[in-house]
Amino acid sequence: MMHVEVVETSSLGDRSYLAHDGRVALVVDPQRDIDRFLALAGRLDVRITHVAETHLHNDYVSGGLALAKATGAAYLVAAEEGVDFGRTGISGGDEVTVSHALRVRAVATPGHTFHHLSYILSGPDGPEGVFTGGGLLFGTTGRTDLVGSEHTHVLAHRQHASAERLADLLPDGAHVWPTHGFGSFCSASQSDVASSTIGRERRANPALRLGAGDFVNQTLDGLDAYPAYYAHMGVRNRAGADLIDLTPARAADPAELHDRIAAGEWVVDLRSRKAFAQRHLAGTLSFGLDGSMSTWLGWLAPWGAPLTLLGESPEQLAVAQRELARIGIDHPSAAASGAPEQWAGGDSGRLEHTPVATFTDLSAARAGRVPGHLPPPDAVLDVRMAGEWTDGHIDGAVHIPLPDLAHRLDEIPDGVIWVHCGSGYRAAAAGSLLQRAGRQTVHIDDAYSEAAAAGLTIIDH
């Protein structure tokens, strides 16, 4: 029998897959930390004989080459892609026999990239499903602007044609197994669907419901900014990434942490935003592991600059180091585990806290009833993305998307800044950036969906 196992990387919004027949296996779009796939194959007692890439990824460093080398597997990469390593070139229409019970057929599905491939997985009874990479996703498609804005329109048209091609080739019951679309910025829009089939996508996916022109217009209108570190992923994947190195970072003492903060380096607190608000080392930045740490830290931190990690435990540091390595941020300069008091070396003067509020508190403050534990707001800063702001925002708020904040601090009004985002995570990061710059902030740790109910006026565009 044929089975498909999902290896999820929720921090980046991606999925990889291991398909097997009980003896041999095919891995599709593996992340860089290949130990997860080797361990899974070991538990299943199967041998990985093939590794396939749907495309050269823009949102993470691929583990495909390293996994193929480690297992002796054939490495399937689009023949049309110019890469700097040996691979088994594959083109649309090619079929690969993994075993007598498992075979895959490549289908050219350009759109997310020019040479994107999907892989139809078939068993003795015919097609079971399709690995769609960054093409046909759950209720949406992959974005078409990652290989250059000048190609966006053309690739959007090709994305529509590719979706229709898959729908024509497969029965309604065939499973759809995408790599992106679970929070990844590679997705043109987001969906909370957990699984899907070709039949469901026929009913729900704009690429299969709309004509080409309407689909292209809708797709292009919905595109927002994407992480700055994407610019480095394609280059790394084209060259071929080596084995991941998760050797623990060198431990830093309080004196070194003080020096790094004084030098303006990025010293990152991985604890939850609630713990950070209660007490943190002055000058540190909040990117907790309770959210998409690697995406936002990789986006905001200067590429290649020294990075120091602070966590509650060595295990927390190890999780963060693994997540960062997935996007090519290797070997933090230093790290420390424990509590803020330890990082401060017992000097309470080096510790800070951040006042926390809700949208109800903001509504009361605007009505002149400021809760006693909070300083009144001189300005409200919204750090959500442009599309979120356009969909609706608090009347009178200042809008600077989080990725732009570090370069636009001079645009922040004077006085006390109350900061919000969609859920509280990005606002914590933004508030820490402002605090590091010497500003007084209040962190609105609340869901934006509660703003209207709290009595705040919402401006819709």
Side-chain angles (χ1 to χ4, degrees):
M1 294 181 63
M2 182 168 52
H3 304 273
V4 176
E5 305 286 342
V6 178
V7 179
E8 191 151 8
T9 306
S10 56
S11 59
L12 293 176
D14 289 321
R15 289 179 178 178
S16 305
Y17 301 90
L18 185 148
H20 71 95
D21 65 357
R23 297 185 306 106
V24 297
L26 159 77
V27 174
V28 179
D29 288 344
Q31 293 269 340
R32 192 179 179 199
D33 45 333
I34 64 171
D35 55 322
R36 293 188 292 164
F37 305 96
L38 296 172
L40 176 59
R43 290 195 299 273
L44 297 170
D45 193 24
V46 298
R47 180 167 58 92
I48 297 172
T49 58
H50 294 76
V51 177
E53 301 282 8
T54 57
H55 61 294
L56 292 185
H57 301 282
N58 288 287
D59 65 330
Y60 66 85
V61 177
S62 173
L65 180 60
L67 182 59
K69 287 181 176 179
T71 59
Y75 189 27
L76 310 180
V77 178
E80 293 79 12
E81 289 285 11
V83 295
D84 300 333
F85 51 83
R87 43 74 193 270
T88 299
I90 188 166
S91 300
D94 291 349
E95 186 165 291
V96 175
T97 299
V98 180
S99 74
H100 71 280
L102 194 159
R103 65 185 185 278
V104 291
R105 175 157 64 104
V107 181
T109 49
H112 187 52
T113 64
F114 278 104
H115 306 302
H116 189 284
L117 296 172
S118 296
Y119 296 95
I120 296 176
L121 179 69
S122 297
D125 298 324
E128 296 285 342
V130 56
F131 300 107
T132 58
L136 186 68
L137 312 183
F138 294 167
T140 185
T141 58
R143 60 191 303 157
T144 61
D145 58 340
L146 298 181
V147 295
S149 58
E150 69 274 19
H151 304 303
T152 302
H153 192 271
V154 168
L155 285 176
H157 273 282
R158 294 188 184 182
Q159 188 78 288
H160 183 266
S162 292
E164 290 193 324
R165 183 176 303 117
L166 289 178
D168 289 342
L169 288 171
L170 290 162
D172 282 354
H175 296 281
V176 176
W177 296 305
T179 300
H180 306 313
F182 311 96
S184 169
F185 278 88
C186 277
S187 177
S189 62
Q190 297 301 323
S191 170
D192 56 4
V193 175
S195 62
S196 191
T197 62
I198 288 293
R200 185 189 181 283
E201 294 309 311
R202 287 186 198 276
R203 298 187 298 272
N205 200 307
L208 299 175
R209 290 176 46 250
L210 301 177
D214 289 340
F215 168 76
V216 170
N217 290 335
Q218 183 183 97
T219 298
L220 270 56
D221 287 345
L223 294 177
D224 208 334
Y226 55 84
Y229 68 81
Y230 278 23
H232 305 279
M233 299 299 97
V235 175
R236 188 77 173 270
N237 288 326
R238 196 172 299 280
D242 52 5
L243 281 170
I244 193 170
D245 180 3
L246 296 177
T247 304
R250 183 180 54 77
D253 61 19
E256 181 179 349
L257 293 177
H258 178 273
D259 290 344
R260 289 185 177 277
I261 292 171
E265 293 185 8
W266 281 56
V267 180
V268 175
D269 191 326
L270 301 165
R271 299 173 304 142
S272 72
R273 60 183 185 267
K274 295 185 185 299
F276 183 88
Q278 185 174 11
R279 186 175 292 106
H280 58 268
L281 188 60
T284 57
L285 302 169
S286 176
F287 289 88
L289 285 172
D290 54 333
S292 299
M293 180 276 297
S294 55
T295 294
W296 293 108
L297 180 55
W299 194 337
L300 271 68
W303 192 257
L307 190 66
T308 299
L309 303 179
L310 305 178
E312 293 174 335
S313 65
E315 290 76 19
Q316 197 173 62
L317 295 174
V319 169
Q321 192 167 341
R322 178 182 289 264
E323 288 195 10
L324 291 170
R326 289 173 181 155
I327 61 169
I329 300 178
D330 297 312
H331 309 300
S333 300
S337 61
E341 293 80 5
Q342 294 169 282
W343 305 330
D347 181 359
S348 61
R350 294 178 59 194
L351 299 177
E352 291 181 333
H353 82 285
T354 305
V356 177
T358 65
F359 284 114
T360 298
D361 293 330
L362 176 60
S363 181
R366 284 191 160 183
R369 303 186 304 274
V370 183
H373 65 290
L374 297 171
D378 291 297
V380 175
L381 175 65
D382 182 342
V383 297
R384 296 175 302 151
M385 302 302 287
E388 295 173 284
W389 168 268
T390 301
D391 287 343
H393 58 267
I394 295 170
D395 186 24
V398 175
H399 180 232
I400 300 179
L402 176 59
D404 300 338
L405 184 60
H407 308 291
R408 297 174 60 183
L409 292 174
D410 57 347
E411 299 178 32
I412 306 295
D414 293 333
V416 179
I417 309 300
W418 287 37
V419 188
H420 85 86
C421 61
S423 64
Y425 185 88
R426 288 172 289 174
S432 67
L433 283 164
L434 289 170
Q435 280 189 307
R436 188 178 71 161
R439 301 302 304 273
Q440 187 178 2
T441 66
V442 172
H443 174 202
I444 302 177
D445 193 3
D446 201 357
Y448 176 75
S449 57
E450 301 296 320
L456 293 164
T457 300
I458 304 300
I459 305 298
D460 295 315
H461 288 282

